[in-house]
Amino acid sequence: MEPSRTHRLRSLARLLRLALDLGMSSLAYYGCVLAGLDTLPALLTATAVAAGWLTATAVYDRRADGLAVGMLLMYGLSAAFAAATSAPRPLLLRDPLVSALAGLVFLGSCLSATPATAYLARKLHGQPLSDPRLRRAHRTQTLVLGTGLTAEALVRVLLVYALPVPTAAALTPPLEFVVLVPLVVWTVVHRRKALARSSTAAGGAGAARQVPAGVTAEPVRAEHGHPAR
């Protein structure tokens, strides 16, 4: 098989795995909702699917996948919230609390050797994070995303308690996208700039290694029997 084709197949496999890690439980939840189930049974089904997927990937990879753990926590928290209360105002807190959990996970990962965006990039592209420039860029991206998600969740919680329930229910979901879309766009732009800087620096370092320091072209020719002119 041609190397380029093998690379494309591996990239497709990584993309499919990432989509399954993110989408298995979500598909289960929205499938149950479309089938007419109430919120709590749909969330419990999604939580069970997330737990099953986590178990399957842990057996296959021989380690627990962080993204699968995150999806299990997200739907488990949502199911616990839905089971605890049916009052409309507390239920409006479910999504902000999930966003806050994601933001705190992102912020917490900044203290580790592999920030959250580096982990996701490795899952998607299959490349280890060896360049310190890219590691710093991922740490910045993760810090910005974590701060944005946490701040957005805090604003939505304040709106839930400050506004009437119908107004809060109408305003809080669009607010999530108003914050997320610019964050994602900024992350993509920042990543491209970081990759370009890393590639330029790597190219310069490679060119510098080709000619030993302190050796000019004239002595090199003389060493091969060609007198310098």
Side-chain angles (χ1 to χ4, degrees):
M1 185 178 293
E2 298 179 0
S4 59
R5 185 179 179 186
T6 302
H7 178 72
R8 286 196 298 269
L9 289 176
R10 288 177 179 173
S11 298
L12 182 61
R14 288 191 295 267
L15 181 61
L16 178 61
R17 172 64 185 273
L18 181 61
L20 289 173
D21 287 340
L22 288 171
M24 285 290 290
S25 47
S26 299
L27 285 174
Y29 171 72
Y30 288 109
C32 290
V33 171
L34 291 174
L37 269 68
D38 292 334
T39 299
L40 180 57
L43 288 171
L44 290 174
T45 301
T47 303
V49 169
W53 181 251
L54 173 60
T55 303
T57 55
V59 171
Y60 180 79
D61 298 333
R62 296 184 179 181
R63 59 182 177 82
D65 183 82
L67 190 56
V69 172
M71 297 303 293
L72 175 60
L73 290 175
M74 184 182 76
Y75 279 100
L77 176 63
S78 297
F81 225 83
T85 180
S86 59
R89 195 179 298 275
L91 281 178
L92 288 176
L93 295 175
R94 187 183 66 202
D95 289 343
L97 289 179
V98 170
S99 292
L101 175 63
L104 292 175
V105 168
F106 268 66
L107 291 175
S109 72
C110 289
L111 303 176
S112 69
T114 306
T117 59
Y119 171 78
L120 294 174
R122 186 177 62 191
K123 284 183 67 70
L124 183 57
H125 302 291
Q127 296 175 346
L129 188 63
S130 56
D131 190 336
R133 300 177 190 84
L134 292 180
R135 185 178 291 109
R136 286 194 297 269
H138 277 297
R139 205 171 299 281
T140 300
Q141 294 166 19
T142 302
L143 179 62
V144 171
L145 287 170
T147 302
L149 288 171
T150 306
E152 171 261 333
L154 178 60
V155 171
R156 285 204 286 167
V157 168
L158 293 176
L159 290 177
V160 166
Y161 281 107
L163 299 175
V165 171
T167 306
L171 287 180
T172 52
L175 179 61
E176 181 179 10
F177 291 98
V178 167
V179 174
L180 283 180
V181 171
L183 282 176
V184 171
V185 171
W186 176 86
T187 301
V188 171
V189 172
H190 188 269
R191 179 179 180 274
R192 288 179 178 175
K193 290 181 178 179
L195 287 173
R197 288 193 297 268
S198 176
S199 178
T200 301
R209 284 195 299 267
Q210 291 179 1
V211 178
V215 178
T216 64
E218 295 297 333
V220 169
R221 285 199 298 268
E223 289 174 4
H224 288 79
H226 300 287
R229 293 183 180 87

